[in-house]
Amino acid sequence: MKSLFRRPLVLWGMLAALMVSAGAQPAGAQVMDRILKDKTIKVGYIPSPPGTIKDPATGEVKGYYVDGLRYIFKTIGVEPVLVETTWANFAAGLQSGQFDMSIAGTFATIQRAAAVEFTKPIHYLGYSAIVKKGDERFKALADFNQDGLKIAVVQGGAAQEYVRENFPKATIVALGTGNLTAPFVEVSAGRADVGVEDAWQARRYASVQPGVVDLFQANPYNLLPIAWTVKRGNQDLLNFLNTSIDFMLLTGRWERMANGYGMTGRYFDAPNLAPFGTVTEAPATDKK
């Protein structure tokens, strides 16, 4: 009889422990519940063609990142609200709740992974460098590691991390802007010897500026994954985005969206699919 009375007490104790455990979960653990309930999500972005393009006259934001974002959330009846940010501030914007996720095409690096959660790669992108035409000092990347050399980068960008680590003798000119062509403008103006940014931006700039050269146009270096980001701990939102990214890439939807913006300079990883569960016939045996 005593065991019959004890069993409910044990069950209540287990239930209370589960309730305490649930209450101890991080506040952001159920962010998808809030998003689905409110039918809206705040999304940080940085103007960075062709993924995100902001019209300076109208403020309209488009691009294949934006098109993909709107398709994903329209599918579940959620309206994205875009919030402009910068490369130096997007991680702080996530941590402070200024926005729930960032669609800035962000190089996934170790340093950044300590501050934000990265989705699966959307695609991959390398770096290049712009110098003035006729500057013959640079034959290889190692030539950038020179005393007195000024290398312009966007402050907070992955290029700044790369230059600091690989060219310690050079002087970094860090530019507090979201404009990824700004390092190249510094070269054209004579305020820097080298401008470093992603290979697509370098190629686009060199195509309209005859006074400069895109050093690594044929062979971009430091190819890295580009991904979206969420606040650390927002695992449910991260899981949703990872599933959505897989869907968009595997069905070819994102590729079709990007086609309308011309060459992106990005590369995506197409899966090598093999039949699942295929039964092969056993080799025939000789009859005796």
Side-chain angles (χ1 to χ4, degrees), residues 277-283:
T278 302
V279 178
T280 57
E281 294 184 3

Side-chain angles (χ1 to χ4, degrees), residues 169-228:
K169 293 182 180 179
T171 299
I172 295 176
V173 180
L175 308 170
T177 176
N179 180 5
L180 295 182
T181 63
F184 311 144
V185 173
E186 294 299 294
V187 174
S188 295
R191 293 187 292 267
D193 301 291
V194 181
V196 173
E197 243 314 317
D198 76 61
W200 187 84
Q201 300 288 349
R203 183 165 61 249
R204 183 177 68 143
Y205 186 82
S207 69
V208 296
Q209 296 291 334
V212 301
V213 175
D214 179 0
L215 284 180
F216 303 101
Q217 180 175 355
N219 188 26
Y221 63 93
N222 200 40
L223 200 70
L224 289 174
I226 298 289
W228 288 351

Side-chain angles (χ1 to χ4, degrees), residues 1 9 20 41 52 54 69 72 104-105 119-120 139 159 161-162 168 174 191 207 211 215 229 244 247 266 274 281:
M1 288 292 293
L9 294 175
V20 170
I41 179 170
T52 50
K54 183 178 180 181
L69 172 81
I72 289 168
T119 65
K120 291 181 175 181
K139 306 299 182 185
E161 298 174 29
Y162 186 89
R191 293 187 292 267
S207 69
L215 284 180
T229 53
S244 300
F247 178 85
R266 276 77 169 161
E281 294 184 3

